[in-house]
């Protein structure tokens, strides 16, 4: 199974298409298809799935005659968060015309396999359409999927007619929905397109100024780690940050344990510093096992100062915030000109667990 990092989806698709590797919306991620469900792909893979949210279990038989949009997602993925406003708008607009939207939650991180975390994220984000929990990636494999997010457009006969990998190309995707509804005989199939006013973490990335790639904190996939002495895997270690960081380098300071998927602060005042260039900075994190279920306070700075008007939705102007559970936190949205900046987060309590950085 090929599990690409959610923030690397667009660059990976561009590379496959033979273009550059800078993250950007790409038309080449879209493709038409005519996949016969008898191959084992498609709606049959939903049969037997036991954990559903917002709906009783749906099967290929119960969806016969319906136009279905399958959306592969994982709740901490920034690329899916930026796609989601469109999927939500299509669900609201076309559900009365025969469209069924199904979110297939296929996790990237171990904490996303926890059904309680998924249930909380569905509530917090406001996902209203049916969601099937695919923690073992059984449905993912049946579709031959490799990306977050990924959309599969299935006609009323159960055939996969098109797919869209990664963000962007929303007008084309909506036109496919309209076409399939028209073919299915929907008398009210619309021809206009939805207008989306996405805000906060759901707002489109500032692609022109996005220079920093997604990066991981756990040693299995991390890049550009700059603390002197490097990573000491799976053992408590006192780390220090160097006096200067080059672009996209990062470092730890304080008492940390770095595992394959994440790093956990073992004492209060553990810090992470990161030099980045992008409008937005996000960090997937939460209270780890060492926090024993209690929230963890933190404070962020940018270029050594409180973020002020450049704070993200999960911190205030002074940079203070609270880890409530493991999810993606938007920490910085630069209000002025986007430039190379030094980000710092200090965890005021022990037990914070950090997984990955993404940018927008």
């Amino acid at each position: 199974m090929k599990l690409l990092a959610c923030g690397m989806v667009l660059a990976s698709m561009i590379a496959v298409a033979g273009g550059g590797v800078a993250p950007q919306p790409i038309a080449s991620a879209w493709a038409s298809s005519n996949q016969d469900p008898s191959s084992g792909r498609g709606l049959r893979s939903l049969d037997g799935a036991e954990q559903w949210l917002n709906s009783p279990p749906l099967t290929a038989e119960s969806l016969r005659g319906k136009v279905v949009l399958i959306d592969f997602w994982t709740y901490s993925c920034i690329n899916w968060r930026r796609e989601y406003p469109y999927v939500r708008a299509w669900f609201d607009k076309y559900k009365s015309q025969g469209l069924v939207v199904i979110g297939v939650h296929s996790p990237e991180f171990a904490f996303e396999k926890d059904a309680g975390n998924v249930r909380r994220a569905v509530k917090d984000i406001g996902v209203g359409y049916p969601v099937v929990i695919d923690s073992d990636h059984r449905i993912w494999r049946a579709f031959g999927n490799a990306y977050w997010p990924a959309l599969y457009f299935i006609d009323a006969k159960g055939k996969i007619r098109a797919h869209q990998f990664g963000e962007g190309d929303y007008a084309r995707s909506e036109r496919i929905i309209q076409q399939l509804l028209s073919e299915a005989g929907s008398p009210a199939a619309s021809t206009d397109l939805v207008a989306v006013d996405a805000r906060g973490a759901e707002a489109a990335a500032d692609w022109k100024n996005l220079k920093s790639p997604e990066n991981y904190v756990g040693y299995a996939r991390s890049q550009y780690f700059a603390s002197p002495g490097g990573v000491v895997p799976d053992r408590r270690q006192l780390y220090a940050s160097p006096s200067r960081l080059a672009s996209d380098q990062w470092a730890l300071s304080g008492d940390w344990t770095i595992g394959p998927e994440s790093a956990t602060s073992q004492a209060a005042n553990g810090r992470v510093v990161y030099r980045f260039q992008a409008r937005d900075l996000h960090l997937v994190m939460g209270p780890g096992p060492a926090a024993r279920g209690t929230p963890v306070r933190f404070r962020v700075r940018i270029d050594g100062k409180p973020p002020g008007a450049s704070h993200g939705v999960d911190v205030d102007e002074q940079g203070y915030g609270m880890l409530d559970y493991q999810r993606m936190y938007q920490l910085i949205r630069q209000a002025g000109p986007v430039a190379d900046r030094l980000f710092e987060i200090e965890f005021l309590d022990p037990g914070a667990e950090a997984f990955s950085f993404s940018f927008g």
Side-chain angles (χ1 to χ4, degrees):
M1 177 174 56
K2 183 182 181 184
L3 296 178
L4 291 184
C6 74
M8 295 169 65
V9 169
L10 295 180
S12 299
M13 289 304 300
I14 293 171
V16 169
V21 294
Q24 57 183 300
I26 51 170
S28 59
W30 178 91
S32 61
S33 180
N34 196 23
Q35 177 65 55
D36 190 320
S38 65
S39 67
R41 297 186 182 186
L43 299 180
R44 287 188 178 185
S45 62
L46 299 177
D47 296 354
E50 296 180 354
Q51 294 189 79
W52 287 79
L53 305 177
N54 301 332
S55 171
L58 300 175
T59 65
E61 182 62 29
S62 68
L63 293 167
R64 184 185 298 273
K66 301 286 188 180
V67 174
V68 180
L69 177 64
I70 297 288
D71 181 20
F72 282 94
W73 68 296
T74 189
Y75 77 80
S76 72
C77 177
I78 183 56
N79 304 91
W80 174 77
R81 287 297 301 272
R82 294 193 292 241
E83 176 209 65
Y84 169 64
Y86 291 88
V87 177
R88 178 179 60 211
W90 297 333
F91 169 68
D92 290 340
K93 180 178 179 181
Y94 296 109
K95 61 185 176 182
S96 63
Q97 300 176 36
L99 176 69
V100 177
V101 176
I102 300 174
V104 180
H105 187 271
S106 301
E108 178 176 15
F109 296 111
F111 67 81
E112 292 173 307
K113 296 180 180 180
D114 185 319
N117 283 343
V118 180
R119 191 174 293 108
R120 182 169 181 175
V122 163
K123 180 180 179 181
D124 289 353
I125 297 169
V127 179
Y129 47 76
V131 170
V132 58
I133 296 179
D134 184 38
S135 292
D136 60 359
H137 294 93
R138 183 181 63 84
I139 301 171
W140 172 288
R141 289 192 300 271
F143 272 79
N145 188 50
Y147 306 98
W148 297 282
L151 299 173
Y152 291 84
F153 303 81
I154 301 177
D155 67 18
K157 297 179 181 179
K159 291 186 177 182
I160 300 172
R161 294 282 296 277
H163 58 255
Q164 164 71 32
F165 298 149
E167 303 174 56
D169 235 343
Y170 300 116
R172 190 197 298 261
S173 292
E174 188 170 0
R175 294 294 188 202
I176 291 293
I177 293 170
Q178 293 173 351
Q179 175 188 333
L180 298 184
L181 288 173
S182 178
E183 290 177 6
S186 173
S190 261
T191 57
D192 59 321
L193 302 178
V194 297
V196 169
D197 180 22
R199 302 185 181 188
E202 296 178 351
D206 179 2
W207 298 109
K208 179 181 177 182
N209 292 301
L210 202 171
K211 307 299 183 184
S212 292
E214 182 176 29
N215 201 359
Y216 289 82
V217 178
Y219 62 75
R221 291 188 283 175
S222 183
Q223 301 182 82
Y224 316 125
F225 183 65
S227 285
V231 171
V232 178
D234 302 314
R235 225 172 54 219
R236 285 183 70 162
Q237 176 72 13
L238 288 176
Y239 289 94
S241 57
S243 57
R244 298 192 64 173
L245 292 174
S247 293
D248 299 321
Q249 284 188 325
W250 68 283
L252 296 175
S253 176
D255 188 354
W256 291 82
T257 300
I258 304 179
E261 192 173 71
S262 64
T264 301
S265 64
Q266 302 294 342
N269 307 118
R271 295 187 303 123
V272 186
V273 292
Y274 204 116
R275 185 164 290 281
F276 76 103
Q277 186 169 339
R279 183 194 65 196
D280 303 339
L281 181 147
H282 317 93
L283 180 54
V284 176
M285 57 182 177
R292 298 183 175 86
T294 60
V296 175
R297 299 170 299 152
F298 66 88
R299 185 179 186 183
V300 304
R301 296 178 177 86
I302 187 166
D303 292 338
K305 301 176 181 178
S310 292
H311 70 93
V313 296
D314 290 300
V315 297
D316 61 22
E317 291 186 352
Q318 293 302 309
Y320 288 103
M322 184 84 72
L323 301 184
D324 48 11
Y325 71 110
Q326 292 158 321
R327 62 180 176 89
M328 186 197 76
Y329 292 76
Q330 187 190 69
L331 303 177
I332 298 293
R333 168 157 289 172
Q334 293 195 56
V338 175
D340 186 83
R341 305 286 191 187
L342 183 65
F343 166 83
E344 175 188 327
I345 182 167
E346 179 181 10
F347 297 101
L348 306 178
D349 303 304
E353 187 174 19
F355 293 84
S356 68
F357 284 90
S358 60
F359 304 93

